[in-house]
Amino acid sequence: MQTQNNFDIIVASLQDETDIQQKFDEYSTLMAYFRCAIMEVQTKFNVLNEEFSLQHDRNPINSIHSRLKSIESISRKLKSRDIPFTLSNIEKNLSDVAGIRVICSFTSDVYLLAKALLKQDDITLVSIKDYIKNPKPNGYRSLHLIVNVPIFLVHEKKIMTVEIQLRTIAMDSWAALEHQLKYKKDNEFTEEMTEELYRCAKISADLDMRMDNLKSSVYEEAAEYNLDEYENKIII
């Protein structure tokens, strides 16, 4: 059923239906490249987690989740921007087709891992949005990175874009519950509910700060929360 839905969307995007199968195969190949990019970045984080465990006897990463944007979501996003559905437009205009979410134990670990990743010479920073230092109005906190990473194929190297979200367990729990509550079907989310969610976000932020302070005492690790040095390295 999912394959048929993908096929139907590609068919609807074509002017000439004689190359339907070819376009479908090309789309499938592009998605395979994005999956490879996810695996590359995920492996990098797993290596960093293993190295840190050996050096400091603890793991900064609690879990890693990945997702590939569905063709329905890709189609809607391009349409909302009045951009035709083509493979080149997907690569040029969408930076979140491939996504990775890294759940960290502590806020300082978010920045530690981000810095370690961005120091790698095959990673190029495209953009950075620090919603931890500057939370969204609703209280949402997370560190968002858009990076370019190479994947090595049999006959070529391709540069692919991956969106990375790094957050603590508390940040992730709040975000998941906020989405579950706010977007429940047939339910009006009131201003009072919005304010209560924001208060919960503040409590979550206070918890992260307190846990980081405890971690600094237990492990004697200095906490760092600054990525300003990378803001000048963003490419357009």
Side-chain angles (χ1 to χ4, degrees):
M1 181 63 71
Q2 183 62 42
T3 300
Q4 185 59 47
N5 290 342
N6 294 357
F7 201 88
D8 292 342
I9 289 174
I10 292 173
V11 169
S13 72
L14 296 174
Q15 299 296 323
D16 180 5
E17 295 190 3
T18 59
D19 59 353
I20 290 175
Q21 187 60 53
Q22 177 186 344
K23 292 300 182 186
F24 183 78
D25 291 343
E26 290 174 355
Y27 172 83
S28 299
T29 299
L30 178 61
M31 292 303 105
Y33 291 164
F34 277 119
R35 282 193 293 273
C36 290
I38 287 173
M39 288 188 285
E40 288 282 352
V41 175
Q42 191 162 341
T43 297
K44 288 177 177 294
F45 278 116
N46 284 329
V47 170
L48 291 172
N49 194 48
E50 183 67 20
E51 180 193 17
F52 199 85
S53 175
L54 293 172
Q55 292 181 356
H56 300 278
D57 197 29
R58 73 176 187 87
N59 296 101
I61 297 177
N62 182 267
S63 60
I64 302 177
H65 308 278
S66 64
R67 65 107 183 94
L68 195 64
K69 212 173 189 66
S70 70
I71 191 170
E72 292 85 0
S73 183
I74 291 172
S75 180
R76 282 195 303 270
K77 196 161 189 177
L78 289 174
K79 189 175 181 180
S80 70
R81 299 181 183 181
D82 198 26
I83 299 173
F85 184 100
T86 67
L87 299 187
S88 61
N89 282 339
I90 291 173
E91 287 196 84
K92 292 177 182 177
N93 296 283
L94 299 184
S95 60
D96 61 347
V97 175
I100 290 180
R101 182 175 300 154
V102 182
I103 313 302
C104 301
S105 301
F106 301 96
T107 304
S108 54
D109 290 340
V110 167
Y111 292 92
L112 179 149
L113 288 167
K115 285 184 178 182
L117 179 74
L118 295 176
K119 284 179 181 176
Q120 299 185 19
D121 56 15
D122 59 345
I123 290 288
T124 301
L125 178 63
V126 177
S127 70
I128 179 171
K129 292 182 180 178
D130 192 343
Y131 295 118
I132 299 175
K133 185 167 63 176
N134 301 296
K136 289 186 178 182
N138 67 346
Y140 172 88
R141 295 180 301 134
S142 185
L143 179 65
H144 291 197
L145 305 176
I146 303 294
V147 302
N148 285 340
V149 60
I151 60 170
F152 296 89
L153 307 169
V154 175
H155 299 296
E156 63 176 324
K157 177 179 76 173
K158 286 187 65 67
I159 304 299
M160 306 300 295
T161 302
V162 179
E163 179 192 54
I164 305 169
Q165 297 178 358
L166 297 106
R167 58 179 66 158
T168 65
I169 299 168
M171 294 174 200
D172 190 58
S173 296
W174 182 91
L177 294 173
E178 186 265 355
H179 183 82
Q180 186 179 128
L181 292 168
K182 198 167 185 178
Y183 298 99
K184 183 180 183 299
K185 292 182 179 179
D186 304 321
N187 181 67
E188 180 183 356
F189 208 80
T190 65
E191 184 176 342
E192 290 77 11
M193 293 175 179
T194 299
E195 291 173 354
E196 182 62 19
L197 266 177
Y198 181 76
R199 284 191 287 269
C200 290
K202 296 287 284 185
I203 294 171
S204 172
D206 183 63
L207 172 63
D208 273 333
M209 181 187 69
R210 289 171 177 268
M211 295 303 290
D212 245 332
N213 290 337
L214 281 171
K215 185 263 295 181
S216 296
S217 299
V218 172
Y219 291 99
E220 297 182 350
E221 297 174 13
E224 295 185 15
Y225 306 96
N226 195 337
L227 285 173
D228 293 345
E229 62 186 288
Y230 292 100
E231 291 182 357
N232 295 326
K233 296 181 180 180
I234 296 174
I235 65 173
I236 303 300

